PDB file of all heavy atoms in Angstrom:
ATOM      1  N   ALA D  15      85.080  92.557 111.915  1.00 98.00           N
ATOM      2  CA  ALA D  15      84.086  93.167 112.727  1.00 98.00           C
ATOM      3  C   ALA D  15      83.097  94.082 111.989  1.00 98.00           C
ATOM      4  O   ALA D  15      83.496  94.673 111.013  1.00 98.00           O
ATOM      5  CB  ALA D  15      84.588  93.981 113.976  1.00 98.00           C
ATOM      6  N   PRO D  16      81.830  94.322 112.502  1.00 98.00           N
ATOM      7  CA  PRO D  16      80.891  95.294 111.790  1.00 98.00           C
ATOM      8  C   PRO D  16      81.614  96.659 111.633  1.00 98.00           C
ATOM      9  O   PRO D  16      81.179  97.432 110.728  1.00 98.00           O
ATOM     10  CB  PRO D  16      79.763  95.183 112.631  1.00 98.00           C
ATOM     11  CG  PRO D  16      79.680  93.821 113.271  1.00 98.00           C
ATOM     12  CD  PRO D  16      81.137  93.582 113.564  1.00 98.00           C
ATOM     13  N   GLU D  17      82.460  96.995 112.582  1.00 98.00           N
ATOM     14  CA  GLU D  17      83.073  98.266 112.577  1.00 98.00           C
ATOM     15  C   GLU D  17      84.235  98.315 111.511  1.00 98.00           C
ATOM     16  O   GLU D  17      84.887  99.406 111.420  1.00 98.00           O
ATOM     17  CB  GLU D  17      83.621  98.686 113.941  1.00 98.00           C
ATOM     18  CG  GLU D  17      82.539  98.742 115.029  1.00 98.00           C
ATOM     19  CD  GLU D  17      82.135  97.430 115.649  1.00 98.00           C
ATOM     20  OE1 GLU D  17      82.713  96.376 115.227  1.00 98.00           O
ATOM     21  OE2 GLU D  17      81.247  97.487 116.565  1.00 98.00           O
ATOM     22  N   GLN D  18      84.455  97.257 110.801  1.00 98.00           N
ATOM     23  CA  GLN D  18      85.512  97.256 109.818  1.00 98.00           C
ATOM     24  C   GLN D  18      84.963  96.977 108.423  1.00 98.00           C
ATOM     25  O   GLN D  18      85.284  95.845 107.875  1.00 98.00           O
ATOM     26  CB  GLN D  18      86.578  96.228 110.229  1.00 98.00           C
ATOM     27  CG  GLN D  18      87.272  96.453 111.556  1.00 98.00           C
ATOM     28  CD  GLN D  18      88.030  95.288 112.032  1.00 98.00           C
ATOM     29  OE1 GLN D  18      87.446  94.336 112.513  1.00 98.00           O
ATOM     30  NE2 GLN D  18      89.402  95.387 112.069  1.00 98.00           N
ATOM     31  N   PRO D  19      84.307  97.873 107.782  1.00 98.00           N
ATOM     32  CA  PRO D  19      83.740  97.605 106.517  1.00 98.00           C
ATOM     33  C   PRO D  19      84.833  97.428 105.447  1.00 98.00           C
ATOM     34  O   PRO D  19      85.904  98.219 105.390  1.00 98.00           O
ATOM     35  CB  PRO D  19      82.941  98.871 106.149  1.00 98.00           C
ATOM     36  CG  PRO D  19      83.508 100.020 107.003  1.00 98.00           C
ATOM     37  CD  PRO D  19      83.897  99.247 108.301  1.00 98.00           C
ATOM     38  N   ASP D  20      84.631  96.513 104.484  1.00 98.00           N
ATOM     39  CA  ASP D  20      85.596  96.260 103.422  1.00 98.00           C
ATOM     40  C   ASP D  20      85.539  97.239 102.293  1.00 98.00           C
ATOM     41  O   ASP D  20      84.422  97.599 101.791  1.00 98.00           O
ATOM     42  CB  ASP D  20      85.357  94.840 102.810  1.00 98.00           C
ATOM     43  CG  ASP D  20      85.989  93.634 103.571  1.00 98.00           C
ATOM     44  OD1 ASP D  20      85.880  93.835 104.964  1.00 98.00           O
ATOM     45  OD2 ASP D  20      86.559  92.776 103.012  1.00 98.00           O
ATOM     46  N   LEU D  21      86.706  97.616 101.930  1.00 98.00           N
ATOM     47  CA  LEU D  21      86.916  98.623 100.731  1.00 98.00           C
ATOM     48  C   LEU D  21      86.599  97.806  99.481  1.00 98.00           C
ATOM     49  O   LEU D  21      86.811  96.598  99.379  1.00 98.00           O
ATOM     50  CB  LEU D  21      88.260  99.155 100.716  1.00 98.00           C
ATOM     51  CG  LEU D  21      88.557 100.264 101.698  1.00 98.00           C
ATOM     52  CD1 LEU D  21      89.984 100.352 102.018  1.00 98.00           C
ATOM     53  CD2 LEU D  21      87.931 101.518 101.322  1.00 98.00           C
ATOM     54  N   ASN D  22      86.121  98.474  98.401  1.00 98.00           N
ATOM     55  CA  ASN D  22      85.765  97.856  97.187  1.00 98.00           C
ATOM     56  C   ASN D  22      86.991  98.065  96.226  1.00 98.00           C
ATOM     57  O   ASN D  22      86.983  99.119  95.489  1.00 98.00           O
ATOM     58  CB  ASN D  22      84.474  98.316  96.576  1.00 98.00           C
ATOM     59  CG  ASN D  22      84.188  97.747  95.247  1.00 98.00           C
ATOM     60  OD1 ASN D  22      84.742  96.751  94.862  1.00 98.00           O
ATOM     61  ND2 ASN D  22      83.245  98.396  94.476  1.00 98.00           N
ATOM     62  N   TRP D  23      87.907  97.152  96.138  1.00 98.00           N
ATOM     63  CA  TRP D  23      89.039  97.322  95.239  1.00 98.00           C
ATOM     64  C   TRP D  23      88.738  97.231  93.787  1.00 98.00           C
ATOM     65  O   TRP D  23      89.527  97.574  92.974  1.00 98.00           O
ATOM     66  CB  TRP D  23      90.056  96.252  95.620  1.00 98.00           C
ATOM     67  CG  TRP D  23      90.975  96.610  96.807  1.00 98.00           C
ATOM     68  CD1 TRP D  23      90.554  96.742  98.115  1.00 98.00           C
ATOM     69  CD2 TRP D  23      92.361  96.932  96.825  1.00 98.00           C
ATOM     70  NE1 TRP D  23      91.521  97.098  98.903  1.00 98.00           N
ATOM     71  CE2 TRP D  23      92.708  97.354  98.091  1.00 98.00           C
ATOM     72  CE3 TRP D  23      93.316  97.025  95.751  1.00 98.00           C
ATOM     73  CZ2 TRP D  23      93.938  97.656  98.510  1.00 98.00           C
ATOM     74  CZ3 TRP D  23      94.542  97.415  96.135  1.00 98.00           C
ATOM     75  CH2 TRP D  23      94.875  97.742  97.414  1.00 98.00           C
ATOM     76  N   GLU D  24      87.522  96.804  93.483  1.00 98.00           N
ATOM     77  CA  GLU D  24      87.061  96.877  92.100  1.00 98.00           C
ATOM     78  C   GLU D  24      86.960  98.229  91.559  1.00 98.00           C
ATOM     79  O   GLU D  24      87.035  98.530  90.353  1.00 98.00           O
ATOM     80  CB  GLU D  24      85.777  96.145  91.866  1.00 98.00           C
ATOM     81  CG  GLU D  24      85.685  94.672  92.265  1.00 98.00           C
ATOM     82  CD  GLU D  24      86.514  93.881  91.221  1.00 98.00           C
ATOM     83  OE1 GLU D  24      86.382  94.125  90.129  1.00 98.00           O
ATOM     84  OE2 GLU D  24      87.047  92.822  91.707  1.00 98.00           O
ATOM     85  N   ASN D  25      86.755  99.251  92.418  1.00 98.00           N
ATOM     86  CA  ASN D  25      86.677 100.707  92.091  1.00 98.00           C
ATOM     87  C   ASN D  25      87.997 101.317  91.910  1.00 98.00           C
ATOM     88  O   ASN D  25      88.755 101.408  92.956  1.00 98.00           O
ATOM     89  CB  ASN D  25      85.786 101.343  93.158  1.00 98.00           C
ATOM     90  CG  ASN D  25      85.546 102.879  92.758  1.00 98.00           C
ATOM     91  OD1 ASN D  25      86.403 103.583  92.562  1.00 98.00           O
ATOM     92  ND2 ASN D  25      84.245 103.228  92.792  1.00 98.00           N
ATOM     93  N   LYS D  26      88.400 101.710  90.808  1.00 98.00           N
ATOM     94  CA  LYS D  26      89.684 102.234  90.442  1.00 98.00           C
ATOM     95  C   LYS D  26      90.053 103.503  91.149  1.00 98.00           C
ATOM     96  O   LYS D  26      91.072 103.729  91.768  1.00 98.00           O
ATOM     97  CB  LYS D  26      89.899 102.426  88.943  1.00 98.00           C
ATOM     98  CG  LYS D  26      91.359 102.922  88.564  1.00 98.00           C
ATOM     99  CD  LYS D  26      91.510 103.078  87.100  1.00 98.00           C
ATOM    100  CE  LYS D  26      92.963 103.481  86.830  1.00 98.00           C
ATOM    101  NZ  LYS D  26      93.272 103.580  85.403  1.00 98.00           N
ATOM    102  N   GLU D  27      89.014 104.420  91.378  1.00 98.00           N
ATOM    103  CA  GLU D  27      89.214 105.599  92.029  1.00 98.00           C
ATOM    104  C   GLU D  27      89.570 105.322  93.512  1.00 98.00           C
ATOM    105  O   GLU D  27      90.341 106.064  94.179  1.00 98.00           O
ATOM    106  CB  GLU D  27      87.881 106.464  91.976  1.00 98.00           C
ATOM    107  CG  GLU D  27      88.034 107.848  92.566  1.00 98.00           C
ATOM    108  CD  GLU D  27      86.769 108.650  92.484  1.00 98.00           C
ATOM    109  OE1 GLU D  27      85.739 108.005  92.542  1.00 98.00           O
ATOM    110  OE2 GLU D  27      86.768 109.910  92.259  1.00 98.00           O
ATOM    111  N   CYS D  28      88.825 104.397  94.117  1.00 98.00           N
ATOM    112  CA  CYS D  28      89.087 103.889  95.477  1.00 98.00           C
ATOM    113  C   CYS D  28      90.544 103.533  95.628  1.00 98.00           C
ATOM    114  O   CYS D  28      91.303 103.849  96.488  1.00 98.00           O
ATOM    115  CB  CYS D  28      88.152 102.854  95.918  1.00 98.00           C
ATOM    116  SG  CYS D  28      88.441 102.119  97.556  1.00 98.00           S
ATOM    117  N   ARG D  29      91.006 102.589  94.683  1.00 98.00           N
ATOM    118  CA  ARG D  29      92.433 102.105  94.669  1.00 98.00           C
ATOM    119  C   ARG D  29      93.366 103.171  94.705  1.00 98.00           C
ATOM    120  O   ARG D  29      94.401 103.303  95.358  1.00 98.00           O
ATOM    121  CB  ARG D  29      92.665 101.050  93.610  1.00 98.00           C
ATOM    122  CG  ARG D  29      91.789  99.809  93.620  1.00 98.00           C
ATOM    123  CD  ARG D  29      92.406  98.718  92.761  1.00 98.00           C
ATOM    124  NE  ARG D  29      92.707  99.041  91.419  1.00 98.00           N
ATOM    125  CZ  ARG D  29      91.832  99.058  90.445  1.00 98.00           C
ATOM    126  NH1 ARG D  29      90.482  98.706  90.655  1.00 98.00           N
ATOM    127  NH2 ARG D  29      92.238  99.252  89.120  1.00 98.00           N
ATOM    128  N   GLU D  30      93.173 104.228  93.752  1.00 98.00           N
ATOM    129  CA  GLU D  30      94.072 105.328  93.624  1.00 98.00           C
ATOM    130  C   GLU D  30      94.088 106.130  94.992  1.00 98.00           C
ATOM    131  O   GLU D  30      95.183 106.646  95.293  1.00 98.00           O
ATOM    132  CB  GLU D  30      93.719 106.147  92.508  1.00 98.00           C
ATOM    133  CG  GLU D  30      93.866 105.580  91.101  1.00 98.00           C
ATOM    134  CD  GLU D  30      95.333 105.231  90.810  1.00 98.00           C
ATOM    135  OE1 GLU D  30      96.200 105.920  91.385  1.00 98.00           O
ATOM    136  OE2 GLU D  30      95.645 104.276  90.148  1.00 98.00           O
ATOM    137  N   ALA D  31      93.034 106.239  95.518  1.00 98.00           N
ATOM    138  CA  ALA D  31      93.031 107.016  96.871  1.00 98.00           C
ATOM    139  C   ALA D  31      93.824 106.184  97.932  1.00 98.00           C
ATOM    140  O   ALA D  31      94.595 106.793  98.777  1.00 98.00           O
ATOM    141  CB  ALA D  31      91.587 107.217  97.361  1.00 98.00           C
ATOM    142  N   ILE D  32      93.684 104.790  97.930  1.00 98.00           N
ATOM    143  CA  ILE D  32      94.519 104.026  98.801  1.00 98.00           C
ATOM    144  C   ILE D  32      95.973 104.183  98.664  1.00 98.00           C
ATOM    145  O   ILE D  32      96.752 104.408  99.425  1.00 98.00           O
ATOM    146  CB  ILE D  32      94.076 102.553  98.674  1.00 98.00           C
ATOM    147  CG1 ILE D  32      92.652 102.313  99.145  1.00 98.00           C
ATOM    148  CG2 ILE D  32      95.085 101.636  99.420  1.00 98.00           C
ATOM    149  CD1 ILE D  32      92.132 100.921  98.809  1.00 98.00           C
ATOM    150  N   TYR D  33      96.391 104.118  97.278  1.00 98.00           N
ATOM    151  CA  TYR D  33      97.831 104.271  96.996  1.00 98.00           C
ATOM    152  C   TYR D  33      98.342 105.653  97.442  1.00 98.00           C
ATOM    153  O   TYR D  33      99.421 105.788  97.938  1.00 98.00           O
ATOM    154  CB  TYR D  33      98.031 104.033  95.511  1.00 98.00           C
ATOM    155  CG  TYR D  33      97.477 102.846  94.951  1.00 98.00           C
ATOM    156  CD1 TYR D  33      97.040 102.672  93.608  1.00 98.00           C
ATOM    157  CD2 TYR D  33      97.475 101.660  95.722  1.00 98.00           C
ATOM    158  CE1 TYR D  33      96.591 101.470  93.125  1.00 98.00           C
ATOM    159  CE2 TYR D  33      96.893 100.469  95.252  1.00 98.00           C
ATOM    160  CZ  TYR D  33      96.552 100.341  93.951  1.00 98.00           C
ATOM    161  OH  TYR D  33      96.086  99.179  93.437  1.00 98.00           O
ATOM    162  N   GLU D  34      97.599 106.732  97.152  1.00 98.00           N
ATOM    163  CA  GLU D  34      98.035 108.068  97.410  1.00 98.00           C
ATOM    164  C   GLU D  34      98.018 108.444  98.866  1.00 98.00           C
ATOM    165  O   GLU D  34      98.946 108.930  99.446  1.00 98.00           O
ATOM    166  CB  GLU D  34      97.186 109.106  96.596  1.00 98.00           C
ATOM    167  CG  GLU D  34      97.687 110.519  96.860  1.00 98.00           C
ATOM    168  CD  GLU D  34      99.059 110.763  96.293  1.00 98.00           C
ATOM    169  OE1 GLU D  34      99.651 110.066  95.384  1.00 98.00           O
ATOM    170  OE2 GLU D  34      99.678 111.792  96.811  1.00 98.00           O
ATOM    171  N   GLU D  35      96.911 108.080  99.561  1.00 97.00           N
ATOM    172  CA  GLU D  35      96.678 108.596 100.867  1.00 97.00           C
ATOM    173  C   GLU D  35      97.297 107.667 101.951  1.00 97.00           C
ATOM    174  O   GLU D  35      97.515 108.151 103.136  1.00 97.00           O
ATOM    175  CB  GLU D  35      95.166 108.796 101.187  1.00 97.00           C
ATOM    176  CG  GLU D  35      94.639 109.933 100.258  1.00 97.00           C
ATOM    177  CD  GLU D  35      93.247 110.370 100.709  1.00 97.00           C
ATOM    178  OE1 GLU D  35      92.997 110.233 101.907  1.00 97.00           O
ATOM    179  OE2 GLU D  35      92.519 110.724  99.800  1.00 97.00           O
ATOM    180  N   THR D  36      97.477 106.409 101.676  1.00 98.00           N
ATOM    181  CA  THR D  36      98.110 105.491 102.656  1.00 98.00           C
ATOM    182  C   THR D  36      99.579 105.188 102.314  1.00 98.00           C
ATOM    183  O   THR D  36     100.386 105.272 103.223  1.00 98.00           O
ATOM    184  CB  THR D  36      97.305 104.275 102.709  1.00 98.00           C
ATOM    185  OG1 THR D  36      97.510 103.290 101.616  1.00 98.00           O
ATOM    186  CG2 THR D  36      95.870 104.447 102.904  1.00 98.00           C
ATOM    187  N   MET D  37      99.854 104.865 101.132  1.00 98.00           N
ATOM    188  CA  MET D  37     101.281 104.393 100.836  1.00 98.00           C
ATOM    189  C   MET D  37     102.208 105.577 100.491  1.00 98.00           C
ATOM    190  O   MET D  37     103.171 105.729 101.231  1.00 98.00           O
ATOM    191  CB  MET D  37     101.160 103.398  99.575  1.00 98.00           C
ATOM    192  CG  MET D  37     100.317 102.208  99.874  1.00 98.00           C
ATOM    193  SD  MET D  37     100.250 101.121  98.515  1.00 98.00           S
ATOM    194  CE  MET D  37      98.942  99.913  99.035  1.00 98.00           C
ATOM    195  N   ARG D  38     101.909 106.322  99.540  1.00 98.00           N
ATOM    196  CA  ARG D  38     102.819 107.399  99.119  1.00 98.00           C
ATOM    197  C   ARG D  38     103.051 108.394 100.206  1.00 98.00           C
ATOM    198  O   ARG D  38     103.985 109.000 100.382  1.00 98.00           O
ATOM    199  CB  ARG D  38     102.326 108.098  97.776  1.00 98.00           C
ATOM    200  CG  ARG D  38     102.392 107.188  96.550  1.00 98.00           C
ATOM    201  CD  ARG D  38     102.167 108.068  95.283  1.00 98.00           C
ATOM    202  NE  ARG D  38     102.036 107.132  94.101  1.00 98.00           N
ATOM    203  CZ  ARG D  38     100.824 106.818  93.583  1.00 98.00           C
ATOM    204  NH1 ARG D  38      99.697 107.172  94.096  1.00 98.00           N
ATOM    205  NH2 ARG D  38     100.839 105.942  92.485  1.00 98.00           N
ATOM    206  N   PHE D  39     101.888 108.660 100.966  1.00 98.00           N
ATOM    207  CA  PHE D  39     101.969 109.671 102.005  1.00 98.00           C
ATOM    208  C   PHE D  39     103.171 109.248 103.042  1.00 98.00           C
ATOM    209  O   PHE D  39     103.976 110.070 103.419  1.00 98.00           O
ATOM    210  CB  PHE D  39     100.670 109.700 102.774  1.00 98.00           C
ATOM    211  CG  PHE D  39     100.707 110.652 103.999  1.00 98.00           C
ATOM    212  CD1 PHE D  39     100.547 112.052 103.806  1.00 98.00           C
ATOM    213  CD2 PHE D  39     100.953 110.190 105.278  1.00 98.00           C
ATOM    214  CE1 PHE D  39     100.551 112.858 104.943  1.00 98.00           C
ATOM    215  CE2 PHE D  39     100.949 111.002 106.340  1.00 98.00           C
ATOM    216  CZ  PHE D  39     100.761 112.401 106.166  1.00 98.00           C
ATOM    217  N   TRP D  40     103.173 107.997 103.441  1.00 98.00           N
ATOM    218  CA  TRP D  40     104.249 107.577 104.326  1.00 98.00           C
ATOM    219  C   TRP D  40     105.579 107.324 103.625  1.00 98.00           C
ATOM    220  O   TRP D  40     106.624 107.563 104.318  1.00 98.00           O
ATOM    221  CB  TRP D  40     103.701 106.320 105.103  1.00 98.00           C
ATOM    222  CG  TRP D  40     102.556 106.782 106.088  1.00 98.00           C
ATOM    223  CD1 TRP D  40     101.266 106.571 105.920  1.00 98.00           C
ATOM    224  CD2 TRP D  40     102.785 107.463 107.306  1.00 98.00           C
ATOM    225  NE1 TRP D  40     100.608 107.128 106.953  1.00 98.00           N
ATOM    226  CE2 TRP D  40     101.503 107.646 107.841  1.00 98.00           C
ATOM    227  CE3 TRP D  40     103.878 107.939 107.960  1.00 98.00           C
ATOM    228  CZ2 TRP D  40     101.336 108.327 108.992  1.00 98.00           C
ATOM    229  CZ3 TRP D  40     103.668 108.652 109.177  1.00 98.00           C
ATOM    230  CH2 TRP D  40     102.413 108.895 109.741  1.00 98.00           C
ATOM    231  N   LEU D  41     105.627 106.926 102.510  1.00 98.00           N
ATOM    232  CA  LEU D  41     106.840 106.687 101.766  1.00 98.00           C
ATOM    233  C   LEU D  41     107.633 108.070 101.585  1.00 98.00           C
ATOM    234  O   LEU D  41     108.759 108.141 101.710  1.00 98.00           O
ATOM    235  CB  LEU D  41     106.598 106.019 100.459  1.00 98.00           C
ATOM    236  CG  LEU D  41     106.145 104.585 100.557  1.00 98.00           C
ATOM    237  CD1 LEU D  41     105.717 104.071  99.148  1.00 98.00           C
ATOM    238  CD2 LEU D  41     107.242 103.692 101.160  1.00 98.00           C
TER     239      LEU D  41
END
């Protein structure tokens, strides 16, 4: 949906934020 913009996984800084703020936070 237009309300669901895709993240740019080509950007390393973005990937690191994903790993830290979504995965490690809950693990």
Side-chain angles (χ1 to χ4, degrees):
E17 296 85 1
Q18 295 169 287
D20 277 42
L21 287 158
N22 180 16
W23 278 69
E24 297 288 324
N25 184 301
K26 185 175 182 179
E27 185 180 34
C28 176
R29 296 199 308 275
E30 289 299 330
I32 292 169
Y33 304 150
E34 181 65 23
E35 298 192 29
T36 71
M37 299 178 191
R38 294 191 187 99
F39 177 84
W40 288 103
L41 292 169

